[in-house]
């Protein structure tokens, strides 16, 4: 295993009194189950994290909103927000806690040579035939290692993907995101997201009296917001999460006995009115800004090589699904490998790895299309479009079967809400 993150390599410790990391992930119930099954969630629970059982989504026009509640689908939570450093540390501790043989290399990858018909010599005592059927990885410290399977899980700027010469398809959005941690007077238990003219702003609970901000906007605005004083930035956040840019939605605007009355409103949160998010009192971390893009690898798998997570795909952060797509990749790959080993397959054989690619490529492209569609729908400020978006919001609020399907899909169920 190659691990070049300095903090993880140096076995850093997370202290309770440490300020929250502005980099967080919203993990779905499906991802939480995956962590529990592998034994990593117990380490997450030792550190700051925040479950949420409600989510409110609305837009700046005041025409519509929707509210999701875990009890709508007989669940305890809709998700959990965890600092990225906690996820990283928990996964590393999980690996170190296992009995199987493992070696963690702190060096960086320089090159990959994939097997050919001729065998390769080995300086480590490995037989030439074994080396000849393995990928050879050259490290920046001059050493080389051999692997039956190389898993590229090294992020959107994947070195593994680049060295394997796998092409990608995608585009940059004309948006950037600012992320940071903020503080409230009391603890927040709801995930909030408001769509503004230049992009959504999300307020996500992360435990104690802290929440995380993910604010999408055009690049120039992100520069201006990032250079504001802390007081002015806090005022801007509260303005964006309250009545700035437009009025609060009216709960009865579409509900009235007309458009949605012929659907039975038997979901509890259907009857919950619009709420104003908790007021932000101070900035609790540095502000980080980064450009947004969509990227998809043209191939996930070849002989001795497979890509997972952001190395294979990146998406707009508006629904917090990127990390969950990556963990779903990892779960799928682990099952494919386990099934292959059970029947005597070579784990690096392309026919086996293509099973993983086939399963995850379809699911990932579907999610990417949904998120890209949302991004494009909210890139237009035109009254007829605004009304259509409001109808979609209120349909998701008042049509009980649709609401359940949306919650289920966002929680990790791969069934699309409109087609099942």
């Amino acid at each position: 295993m190659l691990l070049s993150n300095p903090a993880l390599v140096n076995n850093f410790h997370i202290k309770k009194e440490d300020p929250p990391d502005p980099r967080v992930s919203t993990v779905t119930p499906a991802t939480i189950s995956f962590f529990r099954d592998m034994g990593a969630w117990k380490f997450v629970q030792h550190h700051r994290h925040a479950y949420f059982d409600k989510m409110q989504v609305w837009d700046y026009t005041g025409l519509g909103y929707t509210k999701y509640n875990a009890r709508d689908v007989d669940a305890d939570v809709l998700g959990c927000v965890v600092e990225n450093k906690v996820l990283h540390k928990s996964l590393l501790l999980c690996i170190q806690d296992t009995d199987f043989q493992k070696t963690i290399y702190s060096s960086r990858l320089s090159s990959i040579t994939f097997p050919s018909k001729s065998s390769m010599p080995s300086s480590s005592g490995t037989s030439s035939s074994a080396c000849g059927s393995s990928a050879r990885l050259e490290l920046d410290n001059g050493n080389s290692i051999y692997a039956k399977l190389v898993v590229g899980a090294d992020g959107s700027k994947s070195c593994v993907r680049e060295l394997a010469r796998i092409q990608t398809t995608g585009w940059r959005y004309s948006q950037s995101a600012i992320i940071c941690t903020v503080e409230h007077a009391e603890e927040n238990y709801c995930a909030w997201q408001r769509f503004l003219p230049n992009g959504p702003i999300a307020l996500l609970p992360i435990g104690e009296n802290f929440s995380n901000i993910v604010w999408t906007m055009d690049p120039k605005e992100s520069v201006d917001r990032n250079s504001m004083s802390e007081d002015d930035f806090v005022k801007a956040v509260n303005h964006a999460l309250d009545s700035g840019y437009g009025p609060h939605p009216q709960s009865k605007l579409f509900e009235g006995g007309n458009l949605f009355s012929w659907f039975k409103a038997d979901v509890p949160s259907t009857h919950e009115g619009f709420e104003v998010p908790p007021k932000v009192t101070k900035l609790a971390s540095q502000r980080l800004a980064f450009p947004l893009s969509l990227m998809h690898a043209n191939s996930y798998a070849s002989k001795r090589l497979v890509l997972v997570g952001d190395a294979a795909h990146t998406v707009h952060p508006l629904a917090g699904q990127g990390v969950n797509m990556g963990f779903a990749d990892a779960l799928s790959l682990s099952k494919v490998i386990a099934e292959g080993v059970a029947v005597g397959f070579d784990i690096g054989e392309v026919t086996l790895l293509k099973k993983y690619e086939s399963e995850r490529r379809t699911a990932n492209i579907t999610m990417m299309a949904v998120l890209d569609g949302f991004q494009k729908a909210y890139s237009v400020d035109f009254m007829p479009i605004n009304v259509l978006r409001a109808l979609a919001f209120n349909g998701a609020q008042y049509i009980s079967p649709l609401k359940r399907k949306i919650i289920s899909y966002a929680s990790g169920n791969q069934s699309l809400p409109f087609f099942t």
Side-chain angles (χ1 to χ4, degrees):
M1 177 179 178
L2 298 181
L3 186 63
S4 56
N5 184 321
L8 295 180
V9 170
N10 295 331
N11 199 26
F12 79 108
H13 297 282
I14 301 174
K15 300 177 182 177
K16 182 175 176 58
E17 61 271 20
D18 287 346
D21 190 342
R23 299 177 180 87
V24 305
S25 294
T26 303
V27 293
T28 63
T31 296
I32 293 171
S33 294
F34 181 38
F35 267 63
R36 283 202 174 105
D37 290 344
M38 76 170 86
W41 195 249
K42 63 184 179 183
F43 299 112
V44 172
Q45 292 176 306
H46 293 160
H47 303 286
R48 185 190 298 111
H49 61 286
Y51 294 102
F52 59 93
D53 60 1
K54 292 193 301 182
M55 182 174 185
Q56 179 177 284
V57 184
W58 73 110
D59 75 7
Y60 65 94
T61 66
L63 294 177
Y65 78 101
T66 187
K67 183 173 289 185
Y68 302 113
N69 196 309
R71 65 188 178 188
D72 294 344
V73 289
D74 299 319
D76 295 324
V77 299
L78 294 176
C80 185
V81 185
V82 188
E83 294 163 61
N84 283 4
K85 66 182 181 183
V86 172
L87 288 178
H88 294 162
K89 183 67 173 179
S90 298
L91 289 169
L92 181 60
L93 289 172
C94 181
I95 291 171
Q96 293 173 334
D97 198 41
T98 57
D99 294 330
F100 66 81
Q101 184 178 357
K102 65 268 185 185
T103 304
I104 297 177
Y105 300 87
S106 58
S107 302
R108 292 183 179 274
L109 182 63
S110 296
S111 66
I112 306 175
T113 304
F114 293 99
S116 61
K117 292 182 180 179
S118 58
S119 61
M120 291 180 286
S122 170
S123 58
S124 61
T126 308
S127 69
S128 61
S129 60
C131 292
S133 62
S134 301
R136 176 173 175 166
L137 290 79
E138 299 286 350
L139 309 183
D140 63 359
N141 63 3
N143 293 333
S144 53
I145 56 178
Y146 295 89
K148 287 284 187 182
L149 176 62
V150 178
V151 179
D154 50 342
S156 61
K157 298 179 180 178
S158 171
C159 176
V160 172
R161 188 185 67 232
E162 182 179 341
L163 291 173
R165 294 184 173 84
I166 296 176
Q167 300 299 309
T168 63
T169 301
W171 49 82
R172 285 187 177 275
Y173 293 113
S174 56
Q175 292 178 319
S176 294
I178 290 179
I179 61 173
C180 62
T181 302
V182 295
E183 195 168 343
H184 310 284
E186 55 189 34
E187 193 160 358
N188 174 29
Y189 295 98
C190 179
W192 313 81
Q193 185 167 45
R194 187 186 188 201
F195 285 88
L196 304 176
N198 287 339
I201 181 171
L203 181 74
L204 308 171
I206 57 174
E208 300 165 3
N209 285 15
F210 297 110
S211 289
N212 187 261
I213 291 286
V214 183
W215 192 354
T216 302
M217 59 193 74
D218 68 55
K220 182 182 182 306
E221 185 183 358
S222 72
V223 173
D224 295 339
R225 298 286 188 202
N226 222 13
S227 61
M228 281 180 167
S229 69
E230 290 190 11
D231 287 344
D232 286 344
F233 183 77
V234 167
K235 290 177 183 177
V237 167
N238 285 322
H239 180 76
L241 287 168
D242 198 341
S243 57
Y245 302 94
H248 294 156
Q250 299 299 309
S251 301
K252 302 296 181 181
L253 186 61
F254 285 89
E255 183 183 11
N258 299 316
L259 197 57
F260 298 107
S261 60
W262 51 287
F263 285 96
K264 184 180 179 182
D266 57 353
V267 172
S269 64
T270 295
H271 307 287
E272 295 180 4
F274 173 82
E275 295 179 75
V276 177
K279 188 179 181 65
V280 173
T281 58
K282 62 184 291 188
L283 191 62
S285 78
Q286 64 180 133
R287 285 162 280 177
L288 303 175
F290 54 93
L292 302 180
S293 62
L294 178 146
M295 181 278 294
H296 193 240
N298 293 349
S299 173
Y300 289 11
S302 59
K303 188 173 179 64
R304 304 278 172 229
L305 174 73
V306 70
L307 300 177
V308 300
D310 282 3
H313 44 75
T314 60
V315 296
H316 196 286
L318 65 86
Q321 287 294 330
V323 70
N324 296 293
M325 293 165 66
F327 287 126
D329 290 349
L331 176 58
S332 173
L333 179 60
S334 67
K335 288 180 177 178
V336 166
I337 290 174
E339 290 168 1
V341 169
V343 296
F345 259 86
D346 178 345
I347 65 170
E349 185 57 47
V350 68
T351 53
L352 180 68
L353 301 176
K354 285 295 182 180
K355 292 181 180 179
Y356 152 76
E357 180 181 277
S358 177
E359 176 183 326
R360 291 305 304 157
R361 188 177 184 83
T362 300
N364 289 334
I365 288 176
T366 300
M367 179 63 80
M368 293 172 80
V370 169
L371 299 180
D372 188 59
F374 267 103
Q375 190 278 331
K376 286 179 168 52
Y378 275 90
S379 297
V380 179
D381 186 9
F382 180 53
M383 183 52 69
I385 300 297
N386 293 346
V387 172
L388 288 174
R389 290 194 307 241
L391 286 171
F393 264 117
N394 286 277
Q397 172 68 0
Y398 297 112
I399 301 175
S400 304
L402 177 60
K403 172 173 277 194
R404 291 192 184 94
K405 287 288 187 180
I406 291 172
I407 296 172
S408 179
Y409 183 61
S411 298
N413 185 323
Q414 296 304 316
S415 298
L416 277 170
F418 298 104
F419 301 104
T420 57

